[in-house]
Amino acid sequence: MGWGNKRLNEAAAVCAAQFPAIGLGWWIKGQLGDDYAYGGAYGAFAVFALACLLAVAPLVLPVFGLAHALLQVLPAEALAHRVAGRLRGPVWAWHLLLASLLGVIWAVIALLLWDWPFTTTAPLFAVLGVFPVLGLGWLRRRTRGFWGIWLPALFASVGLFLLVFVGGVLATVTGILEEYEPPKLSAAQLAGEWHGSDGAVLRLRPGGEAELTALPAETEPADSETDPPFAVCDGTATWQPDAKGGNDPYTDGPEGRPGVVVRPTAGCGRQTYWRIGGTAAAPELFVPFGDPDAPDVRILKRVR
């Protein structure tokens, strides 16, 4: 099956229509997650970034839509016509199934090349093929010409965006979506090995001893803007859990965020408070070094 200009235009339009709603949903999900101590500055930046994306959307969405159509929707349609001719059944049903399967294949490729989480990307990439398939069926029967293709896609895009927005507001008001809270970890759950993406390793031993490998630690305030806001330490340390966050230097009250106090013993760096983040299933430790308004956040993830 050939892809003429009209078919490419249709596929690009229906693919582009869903991206604003997906972006809004992703943004809402991010707002309900851990802000890693960015606080209001993070929220303001996120709103600014969202506004910028909406402003340039008319320029970039057609490009994203065409790329998505060529990588998933149109190849699935070509396969659907062949499969339907041999195994029978409606072409649109085969198109829907094959577009979803092709999305899962792209999720596998993303896992192998960039280590993207398969359990998250596979359902997302599969769903990305559903709306375009349904939209192409509607366009095939009802529209002609450039504006006859892109105007319905525009209206559908606005409708999907509003639907996600209203759904997010209602879910927040009714308590279906709750504000993020860090997991509560005991000393036994904290003990183990934590790794950072930059090679940092923190081994918390039962009993309060720790081993450091290229681990960031608090230092005296930097003398200039070019000096790093932390020291990189190797050696040993002591540690203790702080369930009430009394050692949290980033809070104004008597209690802060639960975390771990790490005190290097080799003269490298000062006492550093690692906040607990992530989830109970995938806990994290992090420190926002430097300027509170634009911190350099270092994150450690539990390995074992």
Side-chain angles (χ1 to χ4, degrees), residues 33-234:
D34 198 343
D35 64 3
Y36 295 110
Y38 278 87
Y42 177 82
F45 175 78
V47 172
F48 176 75
L50 182 63
C52 290
L53 288 176
L54 292 177
V56 301
L59 299 177
V60 300
L61 285 181
V63 178
F64 288 165
L66 180 60
H68 180 215
L70 293 173
L71 292 174
Q72 183 175 4
V73 177
L74 290 177
E77 184 181 39
L79 289 174
H81 280 275
R82 294 189 177 185
V83 173
R86 295 185 179 183
L87 302 180
R88 299 190 182 282
V91 174
W92 70 267
W94 283 111
H95 190 187
L96 196 62
L97 175 62
L98 291 172
S100 299
L101 290 177
L102 193 54
V104 175
I105 292 174
W106 278 112
V108 173
I109 295 175
L111 172 66
L112 297 176
L113 294 181
W114 304 294
D115 198 28
W116 291 7
F118 180 79
T119 54
T120 300
T121 55
L124 175 61
F125 288 0
V127 170
L128 280 176
V130 173
F131 179 81
V133 172
L134 300 178
L136 281 175
W138 188 89
L139 285 172
R140 184 184 297 112
R141 297 190 300 269
R142 289 175 170 80
T143 60
R144 295 290 186 272
F146 179 86
W147 291 112
I149 293 172
W150 282 95
L151 280 180
L154 174 62
F155 295 145
S157 181
V158 173
L160 286 172
F161 185 89
L162 293 177
L163 182 63
V164 173
F165 177 79
V166 173
V169 171
L170 291 176
T172 303
V173 171
T174 57
I176 297 176
L177 297 178
E178 298 180 352
E179 185 179 355
Y180 171 81
E181 291 186 4
K184 297 180 180 179
L185 304 178
S186 65
Q189 292 173 313
L190 288 167
E193 195 165 305
W194 302 78
H195 286 199
S197 59
D198 53 355
V201 179
L202 172 61
R203 298 178 181 88
L204 301 179
R205 307 293 188 190
E209 295 182 351
E211 295 179 11
L212 317 178
T213 302
L215 187 75
E218 297 279 8
T219 60
E220 296 293 338
D223 295 330
S224 68
E225 295 182 355
T226 59
D227 292 336
F230 55 82
V232 179
C233 298
D234 296 289

Side-chain angles (χ1 to χ4, degrees), residues 285-300:
L285 299 176
F286 71 93
V287 179
F289 291 101
D291 185 356
D293 294 327
D296 184 352
V297 180
R298 296 304 170 109
I299 301 173
L300 304 177

